[in-house]
Amino acid sequence: MIKGMREERVAGERSLLLGVGISAIGIGMYIPFSLVFFHHVTGLSFALVGIVLTVTGLAGLAVMPLAGSAVDRFGARKVNLLLYAVRALGFALYPFAGSLPAFAAVALITALADRSFPIVQQSLIGEVARGGARDRLQASIRALQNAGMGAGALVVSGVLALWGTEGFTYTAWGNAVAFALAGLLVSRVKPVREHGNGEPGTVGGAPASAKRPPAGYRMVLADRPFLGLTAANFLTALGYSALSVLFPLYISTWLHGPDSLTGAAFTVNTALCAGIGVLIASRVRRSGARRTRSAALGALLFAAAFVGQIVLGTVRPGQTATLVALLVIVVVYTVGELVHSPSGGALSVSAAPEAVRGRYLATYQLSYSLATALAPSLFTGLLALDGRLPWAFLTVAALGAALALTRLERHLPAEAVYAAQPSATTSPTPAPTPTPAPATATATATATEASTREPAATATV
């Protein structure tokens, strides 16, 4: 275990987390009913709503690289506040977007903000926190998002019970209020002072452009270890898609179980994420485990859960035994998610050079987006051949991700691999008192250490 591990408190952390929780409630108020929600709010047919959401969602993927560039230029905090404002405005306008062109325009603007938001939020964590505080924020944000979405679903159920389908309009305005309030709260968070004045894009208080040539996506594409990290995350991200895409189909078509099993699985997953997510992440963080290895452990737990699905699909016991087995599998899967997510997220944030963090995280986020886009066709195609085949594919993918993470460990920056650097030597015997070195030698050694710890910060494109 790493001794002397201390986590800096984040200025405005409570406001940041409260804002995340409130925005998650807003998201939970419409995500479970997305097609129905927009159908009743706009009055358009389900078919038109579906087409518009698909097209605008793809357009949102295309703008993700621009979001990364905006973060690097203006700072994550400013872009984060802008996206909250855009989402608030979009949901405020949805009830008035009764025509197809109006709905398409509002949906497009909102989709661009929604797709870009994960990149900006991850960048914000890197901007306001350092060391183990990043892992703590990752875990806390994930727990609050799960709890908030669950609460939002309950809220919209109550609204619909009181006002019927008209309640969807009130829900849209409630979303607008939630995003606006979240933005106001997040505005109170302060970036960590790093180089000089601590503002993004500055070095020693001067503009970054005055100290080094500008860096762009060519720098990201030249960083093979980070691209390897992104590829490993793509393999794990396929597993994240399994619960929402593959699980319901597998239960109904292969196990021939009731749809209520899917609801039970989602309830267990959400409750565990909200209830013990922070605790598990804290235990992992305090153990001093390297982020690469804890993320790999999460992938291995994913693989264990997927193997359990293969066994269950082969044995096919009675309904009671199937229910118990599925719940055990979901618990293992969820623990894997809770171990992997904070470490994997903090690893990507810390491996990205500060000056181009937005571009790096935009590239990393594409691994999630691509996995989400490919999962439906991939899983349904494999499921049509054999119900166990998609789980076998996911098992191999998770094992490949775990192997890749451990192999990449030596090639990633030390500050990315470790949540905190050791404060003392690991030698079992006390080290002799060193002879004082000349001042020039000390300065040279310090400069050399700095250059080896942040090689990408001075790279040219």
Side-chain angles (χ1 to χ4, degrees):
M1 177 176 178
I2 295 177
K3 303 296 184 182
M5 179 185 292
R6 298 185 62 186
E7 297 176 5
E8 297 180 1
R9 303 303 299 180
V10 175
E13 179 175 334
R14 291 182 179 179
S15 296
L16 171 63
L17 295 178
L18 182 59
V20 168
I22 291 175
S23 65
I25 292 174
I27 293 171
M29 291 169 66
Y30 80 93
I31 283 292
F33 312 95
S34 55
L35 285 175
V36 178
F37 174 89
F38 290 114
H39 164 71
H40 286 292
V41 169
T42 63
L44 298 174
S45 68
F46 287 111
L48 286 177
V49 169
I51 292 173
V52 170
L53 292 181
T54 298
V55 172
T56 55
L58 293 174
L61 289 177
V63 83
M64 288 169 61
L66 297 178
S69 300
V71 167
D72 293 335
R73 181 170 183 178
F74 302 107
R77 179 176 172 273
K78 292 180 180 179
V79 181
N80 184 276
L81 296 178
L82 174 63
L83 295 187
Y84 270 130
V86 171
R87 296 162 95 189
L89 178 63
F91 277 93
L93 292 177
Y94 269 129
F96 304 103
S99 65
L100 179 59
F103 173 61
V106 176
L108 176 61
I109 295 174
T110 308
L112 298 183
D114 284 341
R115 292 290 185 175
S116 301
F117 191 80
I119 301 169
V120 179
Q121 182 165 269
Q122 287 290 93
S123 300
L124 181 64
I125 292 175
E127 192 173 283
V128 304
R130 295 291 174 266
R134 289 176 175 172
D135 304 69
R136 187 185 70 247
L137 278 182
Q138 293 277 356
S140 299
I141 286 174
R142 188 166 188 84
L144 284 170
Q145 285 174 334
N146 280 275
M149 290 182 67
L154 291 176
V155 169
V156 72
S157 297
V159 170
L160 295 178
L162 288 174
W163 289 288
T165 56
E166 291 183 2
F168 282 114
T169 298
Y170 304 136
T171 300
W173 288 332
N175 271 276
V177 173
F179 287 132
L181 183 56
L184 290 175
L185 288 167
V186 173
S187 67
R188 300 176 64 182
V189 73
K190 303 299 181 184
V192 174
R193 297 176 65 87
E194 283 199 355
H195 301 291
N197 63 5
E199 288 296 323
T202 66
V203 179
S209 59
K211 296 292 182 180
R212 59 173 177 263
Y217 278 102
R218 284 183 295 171
M219 179 176 176
V220 185
L221 297 177
D223 192 337
R224 292 186 178 182
F226 190 86
L227 293 181
L229 183 64
T230 302
N233 190 69
F234 168 74
L235 297 177
T236 312
L238 289 171
Y240 276 93
S241 301
L243 187 63
S244 59
V245 179
L246 176 58
F247 202 86
L249 293 175
Y250 177 70
I251 290 177
S252 61
T253 63
W254 187 258
L255 297 181
H256 302 292
D259 293 334
S260 59
L261 288 180
T262 299
F266 274 91
T267 300
V268 170
N269 176 262
T270 302
L272 289 176
C273 287
I276 66 172
V278 174
L279 175 63
I280 289 182
S282 176
R283 291 292 179 88
V284 171
R285 190 170 66 253
R286 293 182 186 278
S287 72
R290 302 173 188 180
R291 286 168 174 153
T292 45
R293 298 188 182 185
S294 53
L297 175 60
L300 290 176
L301 289 171
F302 268 13
F306 300 150
V307 170
Q309 293 282 30
I310 296 173
V311 173
L312 181 61
T314 302
V315 176
R316 297 189 188 184
Q319 184 171 343
T320 302
T322 298
L323 172 61
V324 173
L326 282 174
L327 292 181
V328 171
I329 289 171
V330 170
V331 169
V332 175
Y333 172 91
T334 304
V335 173
E337 178 181 343
L338 297 178
V339 171
H340 174 273
S341 179
S343 299
L347 182 62
S348 65
V349 172
S350 302
E354 179 193 359
V356 284
R357 184 182 291 134
R359 291 176 174 88
Y360 266 68
L361 294 181
T363 303
Y364 187 81
Q365 187 63 32
L366 284 174
S367 62
Y368 281 111
S369 300
L370 184 60
T372 301
L374 292 179
S377 58
L378 175 64
F379 293 160
T380 53
L382 293 174
L383 190 66
L385 299 176
D386 190 295
R388 297 160 294 185
L389 196 55
W391 299 114
F393 178 88
L394 287 173
T395 301
V396 174
L399 293 175
L403 177 61
L405 285 166
T406 55
R407 294 288 297 273
L408 285 167
E409 185 175 283
R410 69 184 67 179
H411 303 290
L412 293 169
E415 59 269 27
V417 174
Y418 296 94
Q421 298 299 311
S423 59
T425 61
T426 58
S427 174
T429 58
T433 302
T435 302
T440 54
T442 303
T444 303
T446 304
T448 303
E449 180 184 359
S451 65
T452 57
R453 284 175 57 82
E454 291 188 317
T458 56
T460 58
V461 187

